[in-house]
Amino acid sequence: MRFNKFTLAAQNAAFAHERDLRDKAQIKYDGIQEGIQEGIQEGIQLNQLQNAQAMLKDHVPDELILKYIGIRSDQLNSLKAQIASSLIQESINTCSF
């Protein structure tokens, strides 16, 4: 079978189109995988903060929380401030004047 320039050009265009589609699919797949990894990391961080908050409420020393939960000291201080704020708000709500 003899190929003319038109057939060869159409074949090259089809290959280029297929390669373009594969590249776009790979980019989309990579983006999805990256999003999944980010979601997992956010979930882990949220769990760490929740565990640290529970430990603070149980009066676990800061050093142990930092050692075993793996959060930064500024995050721990922020949690302490949130807990203090919520306790103040609760006491205001329960007091009747």
Side-chain angles (χ1 to χ4, degrees):
M1 183 172 172
R2 201 172 123 212
F3 290 96
N4 59 30
K5 289 180 183 180
F6 177 74
T7 320
L8 193 54
Q11 189 178 28
N12 287 339
F15 286 145
H17 179 68
E18 184 178 326
R19 186 176 39 246
D20 185 47
L21 290 175
R22 261 190 268 123
D23 290 346
K24 287 179 181 177
Q26 184 65 45
I27 290 168
K28 190 174 188 178
Y29 175 80
D30 291 344
I32 290 169
Q33 291 302 311
E34 185 178 321
I36 289 170
Q37 289 303 316
E38 287 176 14
I40 290 170
Q41 288 302 316
E42 287 177 15
I44 289 170
Q45 290 172 355
L46 178 61
N47 186 263
Q48 287 174 323
L49 294 174
Q50 289 171 336
N51 288 336
Q53 188 175 33
M55 292 173 80
L56 282 170
K57 288 180 179 178
D58 285 341
H59 308 288
V60 174
D62 293 359
E63 299 80 27
L64 290 178
I65 296 171
L66 293 172
K67 180 178 179 180
Y68 292 109
I69 299 297
I71 62 173
R72 299 183 319 266
S73 59
D74 64 313
Q75 291 174 306
L76 185 61
N77 290 333
S78 177
L79 282 174
K80 286 180 176 182
Q82 288 174 5
I83 292 170
S85 176
S86 67
L87 290 174
I88 291 168
Q89 190 61 41
E90 284 177 24
S91 65
I92 290 172
N93 292 339
T94 57
C95 290
S96 57
F97 295 99

